[in-house]
Amino acid sequence: MSLATVQKILNITPIPEADAIETASILGWQVVIKKGEYKVGDLCVYIQIDTVVPETEYFDFLRERKYRVRTIKLRKQISQGLIVPLPEGKFNEGDDVTEIIGVKKYEKPDNNPERFEKPRMPKVWYKKWFYIFKYNFLYKVFPSLQRKQRSKFPSHLVGVTDEERIQNMPQVLTQYAGKLFVVSYKLDGSSITIIHSKVFGKSKFRICSRRFELHDKKNDWHRVFVDTDFKYEILKLVQHFATDDIIVQGEAVGKFNGNHHNLPNEQIRLFNIYVKGKRLNQKEFIETCLKMNIPHCPKYKEVVLNHTMEDILKESEIKDLLNPNTEVEGLVWRCVEDNMSFKVINNKYLLQEK
């Protein structure tokens, strides 16, 4: 995903009772800027929300926010993202300058350390000598023997779960106008991917977070998978589709990631099922889950896309289905015809997020 791109300012509108600031339109976003700093048609760098900018003097105004770009409200105007000048060089509209600017995607902290942590040295003398041989010699000479805690996400098997926001693809509202979409609630949790295969006739389950395949079982994703007995849900699919090649993706929701939905127990709710490498159509996905009683992200409704940007953002400003006392994180729209999808995050949720 391009976190910082060269974009054109499409429109500039005044903010009532504001002398020093105004609103610039970039793609489908509204961003508050200093008055007179840019004009319509100017090229600039647009930095998305939920990113982290480098800790430099230029971005020092974000120090208190730990350099994270978030949704804010200024003079009753929602502002999402940052507009900064182009770096030196020649650039065209749409160019990705993420690495040049040094922007990174904001990631929720997790409990899975990036590096292997050695256990404590045992006290028994012969175990101590084996420990020294193992960690001070064997693993240094043959690093491939060291057990990995995690590795790169297996993107050659299935895509990383990261729907694009509608504001980054406003052309979809015109290109897909009149087409039928299935709209589902977006749950606030941690992405989990489970890959099923068989090795020597026995089921094997590979557990992944959004960015990594997790080999060490001492993490929240493995724990939720085990505590919910979710392997039996996948085995239902293995039997139903008569294949061992099943991959599911969903949200792990519950106390370990804030429990936005106020659930008594942690859960896994699916939003994707892949059979032999092919993702089920969203209608078939929901029908399969309902028929087999498999937990999934709940359906909101089916609707024909005929929305302006303002309409579709307003559509997502609803209460959460699992916890009606709070705002829903957002909605995911998937076209029945070709499975094209995008997410619409609830701005009220973003503004209340701590």
Side-chain angles (χ1 to χ4, degrees), residues 145-171:
L145 295 177
Q146 183 168 308
R147 180 170 56 91
K148 294 181 179 179
Q149 286 191 306
R150 66 188 187 186
S151 57
K152 290 183 178 180
F153 187 92
S155 54
H156 61 290
L157 295 178
V158 64
V160 174
T161 60
D162 204 355
E163 301 283 354
E164 188 65 89
R165 296 174 188 257
I166 186 59
Q167 292 98 325
N168 289 328
M169 45 197 302
Q171 70 279 3

Side-chain angles (χ1 to χ4, degrees), residues 11-27:
N11 192 25
I12 292 179
T13 55
I15 300 174
E17 301 179 5
D19 297 326
I21 56 176
E22 54 193 355
T23 304
S25 299
I26 297 278
L27 296 171

Side-chain angles (χ1 to χ4, degrees), residues 185 232 241-242 253 287:
Y185 288 88
Y232 295 110
F241 290 104
V253 292
E287 289 169 0

Side-chain angles (χ1 to χ4, degrees), residues 120-258:
R120 291 184 180 181
M121 184 181 291
K123 295 181 179 180
V124 180
W125 69 269
Y126 64 89
K127 290 184 178 180
K128 184 183 295 185
W129 282 110
F130 180 73
Y131 177 96
I132 294 172
F133 170 75
K134 182 178 180 180
Y135 291 102
N136 292 1
F137 173 74
L138 193 63
Y139 284 169
K140 288 184 177 180
V141 177
F142 305 102
S144 61
L145 295 177
Q146 183 168 308
R147 180 170 56 91
K148 294 181 179 179
Q149 286 191 306
R150 66 188 187 186
S151 57
K152 290 183 178 180
F153 187 92
S155 54
H156 61 290
L157 295 178
V158 64
V160 174
T161 60
D162 204 355
E163 301 283 354
E164 188 65 89
R165 296 174 188 257
I166 186 59
Q167 292 98 325
N168 289 328
M169 45 197 302
Q171 70 279 3
V172 165
L173 298 181
T174 302
Q175 293 173 352
Y176 281 77
K179 295 186 182 296
L180 180 65
F181 279 73
V182 176
V183 185
S184 299
Y185 288 88
K186 187 178 187 309
L187 301 186
D188 186 0
S190 294
S191 175
I192 184 170
T193 297
I194 307 166
I195 303 169
H196 175 273
S197 61
K198 276 196 174 176
V199 179
F200 300 117
K202 185 178 180 180
S203 287
K204 178 183 179 181
F205 301 91
R206 297 166 61 181
I207 310 299
C208 308
S209 65
R210 196 183 72 82
R211 294 186 300 148
F212 301 102
E213 180 173 356
L214 307 175
H215 306 290
D216 179 15
K217 296 184 179 180
K218 295 179 180 179
N219 58 70
D220 288 325
W221 291 264
H222 271 278
R223 181 175 56 77
V224 172
F225 174 71
V226 172
D227 289 351
T228 57
D229 284 330
F230 210 81
K231 68 178 183 179
Y232 295 110
E233 307 296 344
I234 298 172
L235 292 176
K236 292 180 189 177
L237 298 171
V238 170
Q239 183 175 8
H240 178 74
F241 290 104
T243 178
D244 297 322
D245 187 359
I246 297 289
I247 300 175
V248 300
Q249 295 180 311
E251 290 287 334
V253 292
K255 295 180 180 179
F256 78 89
N257 49 32

Side-chain angles (χ1 to χ4, degrees), residues 293-349:
N293 197 28
I294 294 174
H296 61 285
C297 294
K299 176 181 172 181
Y300 176 50
K301 64 180 180 180
E302 293 185 18
V303 61
V304 173
L305 182 64
N306 187 22
H307 299 62
T308 64
M309 183 63 71
E310 184 179 0
D311 292 337
I312 208 163
L313 292 174
K314 195 70 177 177
E315 183 87 51
S316 72
E317 294 181 357
I318 57 177
K319 294 296 183 180
D320 182 52
L321 182 68
L322 303 182
N323 181 12
N325 294 320
T326 190
E327 297 291 328
V328 72
E329 182 182 355
L331 299 172
V332 177
W333 293 59
R334 292 194 177 170
C335 181
V336 171
E337 185 176 306
D338 63 3
N339 253 354
M340 191 283 301
S341 61
F342 57 83
K343 63 185 177 185
V344 185
I345 303 299
N346 180 359
N347 284 331
K348 289 183 178 180
Y349 165 87

Side-chain angles (χ1 to χ4, degrees), residues 50-69:
D50 287 333
T51 57
V52 179
V53 297
E55 298 180 16
T56 62
E57 184 178 351
Y58 183 86
F59 293 111
D60 200 51
F61 64 95
L62 288 175
R63 179 188 295 272
E64 292 185 359
R65 298 176 190 165
K66 298 181 179 180
Y67 296 92
R68 179 182 171 191
V69 182

